Amino acid sequence: MNDPRILPATLTAQSFLAITADEDRQLQMAHVQQQTIADQSLEHPLIDQCLFEGTTFIVY
């Protein structure tokens, strides 16, 4: 088995909604856990080296 590309110990616990506060709509080096994301519309979000666990995205 290959080693993981993203090491959870190097990530910061964050809310996915932090991406909406960033001017560039970027979420980087984040560990997003146990969240439900609904009613979000983001044009060209940048998600770089993030780990999502137990997170649900609801699209209407």
Side-chain angles (χ1 to χ4, degrees), residues 6-44:
I6 299 173
L7 300 174
T10 64
L11 304 177
T12 304
Q14 293 187 43
S15 167
F16 178 79
L17 297 179
I19 199 170
T20 62
D22 186 83
E23 181 179 325
D24 295 322
R25 299 293 191 245
Q26 182 172 4
L27 189 66
Q28 185 175 24
M29 299 295 294
H31 188 185
V32 179
Q33 295 178 293
Q34 306 302 322
Q35 294 183 24
T36 299
I37 312 303
D39 298 325
Q40 293 297 310
S41 177
L42 297 170
E43 282 192 37
H44 309 290

